[in-house]
Amino acid sequence: MSTKKEIIFSGIQPSGNLHLGNYLGAIQQWVDMQKRLSPEDTLIFCIVDLHAITVYQDPKILRQKIREVAAMYLACGIDPKNAHIFVQSENPDHTYLSWVLDCVVPYGQMLRMTQFKDKSQKQQEGTTVGLFNYPALMAADILLYDTTTVPVGEDQKQHIELTRDVAEKFNSMYGETFVLPKDQIDTSAARIMSLQNPLSKMSKSDADPFGSIYLLDEPDEMIKKLKRAVTDSGSAVSSENLSPALTNLISIFGKVTNRSFEQVLKTCEGLSYGAFKTQLGEAVVAKFEPIQKKYRALLEESGELDRILDQGCAAVSVYSSAKIQVVKERVGLGR
Ligand code: TYM
């Protein structure tokens, strides 16, 4: 990490089961950043439950998922001694700033958000205003803390561009208030694709259970899913003929074994698809079995998770409430 003070913010929606894409595209980067942290830097990881309800969530399941995502952050290696972990809805500053930003961001720019276009097509008449305003809430999450860096997967890039634009516009309307953040995307895991359709991204809302490896899948389920993963009409790994499906599997193999794409390709060259997928399955299980063990222990330890989330929220509220005071003054809100 550079000598300049960094403020790192990111989050995941508790809207389903976390999958390999969430881990490789986001959480693994967070853990790596934590290792390189200097004492002046700040790490903030949020469970973005207000974003989750932009699409209907069963209330009982949502409550459960919030805890599960928090426990998964910890099990994957986020250490509350280094990072603030908190639940978005527990800090009302996020919704406050979100409204103010709604009044700054141009409607036309929101209409161009590709994630809204995709999701609203799936939701049809069920599409809510919340789903439309989603990127303004995400901008609020980021801008409240003077965030400098947002580690995410590629699908969030456009939202971070919008965040910069809103910050710039607010600053020019009301005076310097917000820091312009940049995204951080790990190009080797920016877009992990479905195991069943290499042209569509691995996603929490995929109806096909064989498309995604969930971090809490049983080991034999992980192996079964990888064995069933689509490849192409060939029969052995060959660098001459890399299909999108095979490229995706090699990227996953590289990420879970800390090797580059080229290193994996070199060692797997000539392996039959069957043998390759067996090795990949073993590597994925070896990576996630210890994480699953830690995760279960954390959920059983009564009180510890709540203590961490309470402390996280108290700590971040100190930053965000000061920022809200500045925003109120700049905009002329209240007395
Ligand atoms: P969410 O919950 O959809 O995804 C969480 C993180 O996982 C990444 N990701 C992927 N990376 C690679 N390949 C994939 N197939 C894949 N699928 C998901 C996402 O890019 C993301 O980094 N809007 C955000 C949550 C959010 C947020 C924020 C993030 C709300 N406020 C502020 C950063 C900063 C989202 O829906 O993520």
Side-chain angles (χ1 to χ4, degrees), residues 13 21-22 51 134 138 141 152-153 155-156 189-190 192 202 204:
Q13 296 187 63
N22 298 131
H51 278 105
Y134 179 116
M138 180 160 162
D141 297 341
V152 282
D155 60 346
Q156 298 304 314
I192 300 294
M202 193 177 282
K204 291 189 207 106

Side-chain angles (χ1 to χ4, degrees), residues 9-16 18-27 29-30 44 46-52 69 73 88 94 115 119 134-135 137-143 147 149-157 159-160 163 184-186 189-194 200-204 248:
F9 184 102
S10 198
I12 297 184
Q13 296 187 63
S15 54
L18 297 196
H19 54 70
L20 208 53
N22 298 131
Y23 180 81
L24 299 178
I27 303 176
Q29 284 201 80
W30 306 353
I44 309 175
C46 187
I47 297 113
V48 291
D49 53 348
L50 291 167
H51 278 105
V69 173
Y73 286 1
Q88 184 188 35
H94 289 246
Q115 206 161 65
K119 287 193 178 172
Y134 179 116
L137 177 60
M138 180 160 162
D141 297 341
I142 296 168
L143 298 179
T147 301
T149 311
V150 189
V152 282
E154 195 186 57
D155 60 346
Q156 298 304 314
K157 194 175 176 63
H159 291 156
I160 297 164
T163 303
Q184 181 171 301
I185 295 172
D186 174 354
R191 199 172 172 80
I192 300 294
M193 308 310 272
S194 156
S200 137
K201 117 188 138 147
M202 193 177 282
S203 145
K204 291 189 207 106
N248 189 43

Side-chain angles (χ1 to χ4, degrees), residues 85-295:
I85 304 170
F86 77 106
V87 180
Q88 184 188 35
S89 66
E90 293 177 9
N91 180 359
D93 294 337
H94 289 246
T95 39
Y96 192 109
L97 183 59
S98 173
W99 175 254
V100 175
L101 298 181
D102 275 338
C103 300
V104 173
V105 60
Y107 175 68
Q109 190 173 7
M110 290 285 260
L111 279 176
R112 289 196 293 275
M113 295 293 111
T114 52
Q115 206 161 65
F116 173 72
K117 287 192 217 164
D118 293 348
K119 287 193 178 172
S120 58
Q121 220 166 22
K122 282 190 200 141
Q123 298 293 310
Q124 297 288 337
E125 330 57 277
T127 302
T128 61
V129 176
L131 190 64
F132 183 72
N133 285 2
Y134 179 116
L137 177 60
M138 180 160 162
D141 297 341
I142 296 168
L143 298 179
L144 269 178
Y145 302 100
D146 290 334
T147 301
T148 54
T149 311
V150 189
V152 282
E154 195 186 57
D155 60 346
Q156 298 304 314
K157 194 175 176 63
Q158 195 186 29
H159 291 156
I160 297 164
E161 276 162 18
L162 177 120
T163 303
R164 290 175 64 85
D165 291 347
V166 183
E168 229 170 352
K169 186 161 178 226
F170 186 102
N171 288 351
S172 75
M173 286 165 77
Y174 296 111
E176 262 331 285
T177 308
F178 295 122
V179 169
L180 305 194
K182 61 176 190 311
D183 60 52
Q184 181 171 301
I185 295 172
D186 174 354
T187 48
S188 59
R191 199 172 172 80
I192 300 294
M193 308 310 272
S194 156
L195 301 182
Q196 290 302 312
N197 176 4
L199 302 178
S200 137
K201 117 188 138 147
M202 193 177 282
S203 145
K204 291 189 207 106
S205 56
D206 190 348
D208 182 351
F210 281 93
S212 309
I213 301 269
Y214 298 110
L215 305 187
L216 293 174
D217 277 346
E218 292 295 333
D220 55 347
E221 245 176 313
M222 291 182 167
I223 288 171
K224 198 157 85 188
K225 286 181 178 180
L226 285 163
K227 279 202 174 137
R228 274 237 221 157
V230 297
T231 41
D232 50 50
S233 57
S235 57
V237 177
S238 159
S239 48
E240 307 278 289
N241 184 22
L242 276 178
S243 60
L246 203 59
T247 302
N248 189 43
L249 295 179
I250 293 174
S251 304
I252 294 173
F253 206 175
K255 291 307 293 183
V256 297
T257 53
N258 278 324
R259 289 179 299 169
S260 70
F261 186 90
E262 290 69 29
Q263 281 170 324
V264 175
L265 191 55
K266 211 167 148 197
T267 43
C268 295
E269 183 87 41
L271 273 185
S272 72
Y273 284 160
F276 168 71
K277 288 181 188 177
T278 303
Q279 285 192 14
L280 172 58
E282 283 164 3
V284 169
V285 167
K287 175 88 193 173
F288 290 105
E289 254 185 341
I291 290 178
Q292 292 184 353
K293 254 192 208 146
K294 268 196 219 154
Y295 168 86

